[in-house]
């Protein structure tokens, strides 16, 4: 019978560590798995080495306990599959099996000519070749799932990809909008899906456009490879193609400086304190949520001028960059205080969506603080704008919008002096905004005081 225990090692001065798991089964099996779970000394002190609670412990980190149990279950499942398949039991093979279970691929024969199979191969090969990263892979696998459900419901699972027509594109577009109406009618199609992935309402227009753009890229590649003679998108006609690809945007929604400062100064219930830390820090840095989730103290540095800053390669665009140049964003004092206090241990970020996820908690935070300025949101069903309290549109995107808007309002127009025409490349060749300049502008934008730190992140002045 296999046994799984937790292994952790804290370096001198460290307050948290990434957990490893050791699986043993008799004398023949002794392998390790390095998880993404990060825990503090005080939290781990409540657990036995097997991940169970110590006797008489009633107050503990429930999220950590759940993460440990889920990780153990994943290791057991991976180990069982390895035994069933006769895979050599090594740590490297265990990691590979766990990775395949964490991001399961759609396994279809390579020579299968069906629409769903070819679309799946397009996605897997795109990830393999570095065209996009892991987060985009997961999103596109979801797109393959939508197409597979459409074909299954319409009894076209065996449809060859070259037979997918322009009329089917338009029919699929309607399906994407209205899929939530099919859930009760075809329960067998949705029975194995996670509840959070099952559509419960009409999809937004921009979401559907995103799915259609994905399909357009897919068919364009088939054209390039001479697997089809002409993309069904080019058979739609100009007007229908314009409608299918039309993206609409609401007026930009963001927090004004005084609203953000109100959030920062507010006393909130314990249930919202972690959300407040995460949201305020998010506004200060403006990362995409995927980048925010990956931050550790290794991403924090200090410039020769004593300015603390965060640096990272953006996950969404790094595969398209010509170099490995990192984003470098100065840290205002309030942002550094949050980072030093939390060390990026913000469990709320693990689940951006869902009933109790980060986005929902942001809405509750802003409502509790009283951020209720009315903003315009387009109602697709009514075909006109409706005005709702700002807290109703609270999300991680609002944090990024807030950062961009506040910074935009303090940028000096490079062409304001009138020496060069708008868009002149010469202006940018003559100057460069250094980190200390951006730090000064950020402090003005957010109403923060400038300061300096030593290499240990201790405040100098």
């Amino acid at each position: 019978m296999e046994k799984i225990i937790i292994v952790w090692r804290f370096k001198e001065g460290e307050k948290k560590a990434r957990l490893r798991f050791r699986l043993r089964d008799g004398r023949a099996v002794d392998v390790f798995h390095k998880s993404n779970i990060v825990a503090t000394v005080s939290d781990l002190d409540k657990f036995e080495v097997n991940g169970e609670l110590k006797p008489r412990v009633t107050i503990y980190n429930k999220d950590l306990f759940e993460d440990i149990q889920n990780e153990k279950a994943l290791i057991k499942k991976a180990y069982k599959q390895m035994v069933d398949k006769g895979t050599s039991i090594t740590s490297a093979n265990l990691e590979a099996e766990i990775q395949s279970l964490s991001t399961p691929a759609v396994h279809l024969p390579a020579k299968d000519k069906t629409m769903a199979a070819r679309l799946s191969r397009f996605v897997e090969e795109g990830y393999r070749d570095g065209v996009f990263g892991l987060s985009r892979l997961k999103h596109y696998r979801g797109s393959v799932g939508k197409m597979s459900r459409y074909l299954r419901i319409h009894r076209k699972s065996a449809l060859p990809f070259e037979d997918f027509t322009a009329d089917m594109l338009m029919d699929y577009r309607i399906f994407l909008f209205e899929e939530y109406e099919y859930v009760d009618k075809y329960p067998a199609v949705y029975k194995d899906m996670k509840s959070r992935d099952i559509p419960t309402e009409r999809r937004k227009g921009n979401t559907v456009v995103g799915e259609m753009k994905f399909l357009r890229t897919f068919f364009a590649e088939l054209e390039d490879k001479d697997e089809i003679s002409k993309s069904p998108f080019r058979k739609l006609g100009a007007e229908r193609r314009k409608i299918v690809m039309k993206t609409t945007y609401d007026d930009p929604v963001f927090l004004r400086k005084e609203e953000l400062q109100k959030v920062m100064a507010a006393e909130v219930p314990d249930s919202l304190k972690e959300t407040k830390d995460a949201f305020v820090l998010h506004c200060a840095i403006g990362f995409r949520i995927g980048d925010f989730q990956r931050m550790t103290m290794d991403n924090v540095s200090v410039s020769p001028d004593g300015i603390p800053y965060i640096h990272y390669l953006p996950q969404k665009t790094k595969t398209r960059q010509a170099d490995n140049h990192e984003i470098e964003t100065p840290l205002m004092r309030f942002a550094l205080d949050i980072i030093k206090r939390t060390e990026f241990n913000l469990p709320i970020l693990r689940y951006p969506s869902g009933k109790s996820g980060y986005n929902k908690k942001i809405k509750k935070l802003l409502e509790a603080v009283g951020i209720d300025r009315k903003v315009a949101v387009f109602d697709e069903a009514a075909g006109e704008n409706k005005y709702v309290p700002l807290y109703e549109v609270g999300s991680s995107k609002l944090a990024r919008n807030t950062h961009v808007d506040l910074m935009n309002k303090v940028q000096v127009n490079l062409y304001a002096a009138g020496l060069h025409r708008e868009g002149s490349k010469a202006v940018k060749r003559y100057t460069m905004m250094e980190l200390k300049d951006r730090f000064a502008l950020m402090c003005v934008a957010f109403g923060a005081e400038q300061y300096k730190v030593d290499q240990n992140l201790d405040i100098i002045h």
Side-chain angles (χ1 to χ4, degrees), residues 67-109:
D67 286 345
I68 290 173
Q69 302 311 311
N70 289 340
E71 201 76 10
K72 287 175 61 180
L74 185 61
I75 295 169
K76 286 183 178 181
K77 185 175 181 180
Y79 178 57
K80 182 179 185 303
Q81 289 194 180
M82 292 171 72
V83 172
D84 291 344
K85 292 187 293 187
T87 304
S88 175
I89 311 298
T90 65
S91 295
N93 286 343
L94 177 64
E95 293 288 8
E97 193 72 29
I98 289 172
Q99 178 66 17
S100 69
L101 286 172
S102 301
T103 54
V106 180
H107 296 292
L108 293 163

Side-chain angles (χ1 to χ4, degrees), residues 25-294:
D25 193 355
R27 295 182 178 181
V29 176
D30 189 1
V31 291
F32 291 85
H33 160 58
K34 186 176 181 180
S35 76
N36 290 319
I37 301 172
V38 176
T40 63
V41 178
S42 57
D43 282 341
L44 286 172
D45 192 47
K46 308 290 181 65
F47 297 91
E48 304 282 8
V49 292
N50 64 358
E52 301 299 325
L53 289 174
K54 289 182 177 179
R56 295 183 294 280
V57 169
T58 58
I59 299 175
Y60 59 96
N61 187 328
K62 293 182 174 60
D63 288 332
L64 177 60
F65 178 77
E66 183 178 345
D67 286 345
I68 290 173
Q69 302 311 311
N70 289 340
E71 201 76 10
K72 287 175 61 180
L74 185 61
I75 295 169
K76 286 183 178 181
K77 185 175 181 180
Y79 178 57
K80 182 179 185 303
Q81 289 194 180
M82 292 171 72
V83 172
D84 291 344
K85 292 187 293 187
T87 304
S88 175
I89 311 298
T90 65
S91 295
N93 286 343
L94 177 64
E95 293 288 8
E97 193 72 29
I98 289 172
Q99 178 66 17
S100 69
L101 286 172
S102 301
T103 54
V106 180
H107 296 292
L108 293 163
K111 295 182 180 180
D112 195 337
K113 297 293 186 179
T114 67
M115 176 65 183
R118 186 62 185 87
L119 189 63
S120 176
R121 182 151 61 91
F122 167 73
V123 170
E124 302 304 321
E125 290 175 351
Y127 175 65
R128 179 200 67 191
D129 298 338
V131 177
F132 46 80
L134 183 59
S135 61
R136 186 68 57 176
L137 170 68
K138 293 178 181 178
H139 175 79
Y140 286 159
R141 282 177 175 166
S143 299
V144 173
K146 294 180 182 72
M147 176 59 73
S148 299
R149 295 194 295 274
Y150 164 77
L151 294 169
R152 183 176 173 186
I153 287 170
H154 291 84
R155 299 184 180 181
K156 295 178 181 177
S157 294
L159 181 79
F161 63 82
E162 59 264 33
D163 292 345
F164 199 89
T165 66
D167 287 339
M168 288 180 188
L169 273 179
M170 298 304 291
D171 190 45
Y172 179 58
R173 177 175 178 267
I174 294 171
F175 171 81
L176 290 171
F177 277 117
E178 300 176 351
E179 187 181 5
Y180 72 102
E181 296 181 352
Y182 289 84
V183 175
D184 291 335
K185 297 177 184 177
Y186 299 92
V189 175
Y190 297 90
K191 68 176 183 178
D192 295 327
M193 290 178 62
K194 295 179 180 178
S195 59
R196 68 171 180 267
D197 295 330
I198 297 175
T200 58
E201 60 185 4
R202 180 182 172 89
R203 288 194 176 96
K204 303 292 185 184
N206 288 357
T207 302
V208 173
V209 171
E211 296 294 336
M212 301 305 282
K213 287 181 176 179
F214 164 66
L215 276 184
R216 183 177 61 181
T217 304
F218 164 68
F219 282 115
E221 178 167 304
L222 296 188
E223 272 189 317
D224 291 342
K225 292 183 174 182
D226 294 324
E227 294 185 46
I228 58 174
S229 59
K230 191 174 183 180
S231 166
F233 281 89
R234 297 204 289 125
K235 299 178 182 180
L236 282 176
E239 288 304 314
R240 285 207 294 174
R241 188 162 57 244
K242 187 185 298 183
I243 291 170
V244 166
M245 293 304 177
K246 182 181 178 182
T247 305
T248 59
Y249 296 98
D250 294 322
D251 288 338
V253 178
F254 45 79
L255 294 186
R256 295 168 179 162
K257 181 196 291 189
E258 60 271 19
E259 290 171 330
L260 177 58
Q261 290 175 334
K262 183 177 179 180
V263 174
M264 292 167 59
E267 288 292 332
V268 298
D270 289 346
S271 61
L272 292 174
K273 286 183 177 178
E274 182 188 330
T275 304
K276 177 184 171 182
D277 281 341
F279 181 73
V280 169
L281 181 57
H282 205 163
C283 291
I285 308 299
F287 349 61
R288 294 182 179 91
I289 184 64
D291 293 318
F292 196 2
Q293 291 170 319
R294 293 177 173 85

